[in-house]
Amino acid sequence: MFSSRNLMRLPRNSGNGVHRSHGYPPSSNSSPPPIFPRFAPFAIFFITLLFFLCLQIASDIISRTRTVVGHNLQPTPWHLFQPKQFTHGPATSARILQCSYLSCSALSASRLSPSASSASANQTQNGTAGNDTTAPLLPGLESVPPPACPFYFRWIHEDLAPWAGSRVSATNLMEAKEYAALRIVIVGGRLYADYYYACVQSRTLFTLWGLLQLLRRYPGMVPDVDLMFDCMDRPVLNRSALDSPVPPPPLFRYCTTPEHLDIPFPDWSFWGWPEVNIGPWDEEYANIKRGSLSRNWEEKHPIAYWKGNPDVQSPVRENLLNCNDTNTWGARILRQNWVEEAKSGFEQSKLANQCDHRYKIYAEGYAWSVSLKYILSCSSVALIIDPQYLDFFSRGLVPRENYWPVTPSNLCPSIKFAVDWSNQHPSEAESIGRGGQDYMKNVSMDRVYDYMYHLIVEYSKLQDFKPSPPSSAQELCPEQLLCFADKKQREFLKRSVASPSTSLPCVLPPPDHQLIERLAQDKQNKIRATENFEKV
């Protein structure tokens, strides 16, 4: 037997890995070899290097990413404006990455057009728009008879006539790039944009939003298309300069003239103009119409009224300031200061509160003005100073039926004559005012989307190549645009979301060039008759 003292003297380990007395293995609490401390500096260096490498890659991507709101884009050189200012820092960088690359999920894209892929395949093969009425969002479309399109739709054929014989080739399309601010491609019901230049304010954002709403309104029906778009004011494709056997470059914009070949397209303000607090068109029309009923014709002020910005390189507006005399010229001309209006919450510039005059003047700005649709909606007589620039709907207006023509070369006396004659013939004047309002009823958002649809369909038929987005283009979705929008822009965008249509687009009338020419001649005859009437 061992005494306790001898037991304490026994060695715990004999050196061969076992206890001599019991044969137990060594304790599991023995320490591992010190490997991690030796490699820790290398791991930290590698992680740090990887972090900065990722930052460099992200910074490079951000510096090259052009966005719908104008990041990394210069103003259009043909219409310069103050470059957009953006804050720099981690928050801006994170926003560009998130909005550009993480907003459009596959689910979001497919939600825009459930059956777009099959429809676009048919369109490519047949050269016509797909008419997939089996899309889940549009049940029973065929059972709803579509209405006839308003008369101004006839100009779609006229606008596209220069390419009717030659068609639009890929080379022809790229010739328009030097005039374009962006390239717009629709393939399989998905929208892509390739940005070349920034556009003033939020025009690009709201224009592309409108196209996304078109895809939502008619899912699976919008054909594949590739077009160049300029979102600044004045047309550039002069008809006489491009009069040759070679087809002109096809360029879409917001307005045109009889001397130009630019293709007019609905402007951004139909979905809202947040910078001046003008809401989506369907809201504004309803509010203006209600405002026009606040006074009957006899209660309206028997003078002409204009309120706007004359400081836009517009000779007509500058001359109009000379007519600001209610006694001499029967006109009240007010200068609009948008900076001060913004400070006061736009309380003095609400369109619905500007229908209390019998006569409202339309004067072009730098080019056409979006104000025309609001003026015509008032049921006041629209005194339109002979315009040089025309948007997509105004070419159907008829003198002395839905507006009164004013001579720019004899401006103040011409306004005075219109006011005096109309005050002496109140029933005829009131009828002209109602004619203008009724005309704008046919420019509802339903018809705006139909115009966009038919214009894109007819243009796509002319393309002799299969549209495909370039590698530099970005796919767009509603989430991406909402991500880039500021708080006020986001509010306006959400207020202008379209619903899937319950009927097919209106029926487009066939081409009739002789009818268009005859109407243009009749219009000029009526304008000249009014000018001669003033001289009597």
Side-chain angles (χ1 to χ4, degrees):
M1 294 182 63
F2 293 104
S3 67
S4 60
R5 180 179 298 176
N6 291 334
L7 182 63
M8 294 176 62
R9 290 177 179 175
L10 286 174
R12 291 187 180 274
N13 196 316
S14 63
N16 60 359
V18 296
H19 291 273
R20 288 181 178 179
S21 57
H22 296 87
Y24 292 150
S27 171
S28 61
N29 293 329
S30 58
S31 300
I35 297 177
F36 180 76
R38 287 189 295 170
F39 287 93
F42 298 100
I44 294 173
F45 173 78
F46 178 76
I47 293 172
T48 303
L49 181 64
L50 184 63
F51 174 75
F52 281 103
L53 181 61
C54 291
L55 281 182
Q56 181 62 40
I57 294 173
S59 177
D60 182 60
I61 293 174
I62 291 166
S63 67
R64 291 185 290 106
T65 300
R66 301 172 177 183
T67 72
V68 68
V69 292
H71 292 99
N72 301 310
L73 290 170
Q74 294 299 313
T76 52
W78 50 85
H79 186 170
L80 294 174
F81 56 90
Q82 189 68 28
K84 297 182 178 181
Q85 301 296 322
F86 297 100
T87 57
H88 299 281
T92 299
S93 299
R95 183 185 179 205
I96 292 175
L97 287 175
Q98 176 189 351
C99 299
S100 296
Y101 303 105
L102 303 177
S103 294
C104 294
S105 64
L107 177 63
S108 169
S110 64
R111 200 165 54 230
L112 281 173
S113 184
S115 57
S117 298
S118 60
S120 67
N122 293 333
Q123 295 151 13
T124 301
Q125 294 173 6
N126 302 331
T128 59
N131 195 16
D132 185 357
T133 58
T134 62
L137 293 179
L138 301 172
L141 266 184
E142 290 180 333
S143 63
V144 181
C149 293
F151 188 80
Y152 60 86
F153 276 61
R154 288 184 177 274
W155 270 267
I156 289 176
H157 303 297
E158 294 296 302
D159 292 333
L160 299 178
W163 299 273
S166 62
R167 305 191 72 189
V168 176
S169 66
T171 301
N172 189 207
L173 173 74
M174 294 312 296
E175 289 173 349
K177 181 178 179 179
E178 65 175 295
Y179 310 106
L182 69 156
R183 180 179 179 181
I184 298 171
V185 184
I186 298 175
V187 174
R190 298 189 178 189
L191 178 65
Y192 302 83
D194 194 12
Y195 306 110
Y196 304 143
Y197 296 101
C199 292
V200 70
Q201 296 183 336
S202 56
R203 291 187 181 189
T204 305
L205 177 67
F206 277 77
T207 298
L208 293 174
W209 178 262
L211 283 164
L212 286 171
Q213 300 315 303
L214 173 67
L215 295 174
R216 176 177 171 81
R217 181 171 177 81
Y218 293 125
M221 296 177 60
V222 180
D224 293 356
V225 73
D226 194 340
L227 59 90
M228 295 291 180
F229 199 100
D230 181 27
C231 47
M232 299 308 288
D233 289 353
R234 290 181 177 174
V236 295
L237 301 177
N238 190 283
R239 187 180 296 271
S240 60
L242 296 169
D243 188 13
S244 68
V246 180
L251 181 67
F252 288 70
R253 68 167 62 252
Y254 304 127
C255 73
T256 190
T257 79
E259 291 74 39
H260 287 84
L261 296 172
D262 302 63
I263 304 168
F265 192 85
D267 70 77
W268 77 96
S269 66
F270 282 96
W271 295 270
W273 190 359
E275 288 85 356
V276 294
N277 205 46
I278 293 178
W281 167 236
D282 50 359
E283 291 181 11
E284 291 293 348
Y285 178 79
N287 292 336
I288 292 171
K289 188 172 183 179
R290 280 193 297 269
S292 70
L293 299 174
S294 62
R295 299 187 182 195
N296 60 38
W297 186 261
E298 291 75 18
E299 294 172 336
K300 292 179 183 289
H301 302 301
I303 59 173
Y305 177 86
W306 182 84
K307 186 176 184 179
N309 181 11
D311 304 318
V312 290
Q313 302 180 42
S314 169
V316 170
R317 291 190 178 186
E318 293 172 2
N319 293 337
L320 184 60
L321 296 176
N322 299 322
C323 306
N324 184 28
D325 190 321
T326 55
N327 294 322
T328 304
W329 306 120
R332 177 175 291 124
I333 312 300
L334 302 179
R335 180 185 291 270
Q336 179 75 280
N337 187 326
W338 287 114
V339 175
E340 293 301 320
E341 283 295 319
K343 292 179 181 177
S344 63
F346 300 96
E347 286 299 321
Q348 302 302 317
S349 59
K350 292 182 179 179
L351 298 174
N353 297 339
Q354 298 182 26
C355 296
D356 51 1
H357 295 78
R358 293 182 188 174
Y359 319 104
K360 293 199 66 177
I361 300 171
Y362 170 76
E364 291 181 327
Y366 183 74
W368 106 111
S369 171
V370 303
S371 64
L372 178 60
K373 57 181 174 288
Y374 310 119
I375 291 172
L376 286 165
S377 301
C378 255
S379 79
S380 304
V381 177
L383 306 183
I384 298 181
I385 303 171
D386 191 23
Q388 178 183 357
Y389 304 95
L390 302 166
D391 59 20
F392 76 99
F393 70 83
S394 60
R395 293 172 290 186
L397 291 169
V398 180
R400 298 182 67 172
E401 289 187 20
N402 37 46
Y403 81 98
W404 185 282
V406 172
T407 308
S409 59
N410 193 35
L411 186 56
C412 298
S414 185
I415 292 173
K416 173 64 173 174
F417 179 85
V419 170
D420 289 346
W421 185 92
S422 298
N423 284 335
Q424 295 167 11
H425 303 80
S427 60
E428 292 94 327
E430 187 176 5
S431 177
I432 295 173
R434 283 198 305 269
Q437 189 176 73
D438 291 343
Y439 186 91
M440 293 313 301
K441 184 179 180 180
N442 286 321
V443 193
S444 64
M445 284 307 300
D446 287 348
R447 299 291 81 84
V448 171
Y449 284 121
D450 285 359
Y451 193 95
M452 296 164 64
Y453 171 79
H454 282 300
L455 179 57
I456 289 175
V457 166
E458 297 304 312
Y459 174 76
S460 72
K461 293 177 184 178
L462 300 175
Q463 295 183 147
D464 66 359
F465 63 95
K466 180 178 175 60
S468 177
S471 59
S472 53
Q474 297 180 36
E475 182 177 356
L476 305 181
C477 64
E479 290 82 358
Q480 183 190 98
L481 271 59
L482 291 170
C483 180
F484 272 119
D486 62 31
K487 182 179 180 180
K488 187 169 186 177
Q489 292 168 348
R490 195 176 302 117
E491 173 198 338
F492 278 59
L493 293 173
K494 289 181 177 181
R495 283 161 51 189
S496 60
V497 172
S499 299
S501 179
T502 57
S503 65
L504 291 167
C506 63
V507 179
L508 181 68
D512 193 336
H513 179 67
Q514 291 183 342
L515 174 62
I516 296 296
E517 283 194 327
R518 187 165 63 251
L519 290 171
Q521 187 60 52
D522 290 346
K523 186 172 187 175
Q524 289 303 312
N525 290 340
K526 291 181 178 180
I527 291 174
R528 281 194 294 267
T530 303
E531 293 175 353
N532 293 332
F533 193 28
E534 294 175 6
K535 299 174 183 178
V536 176

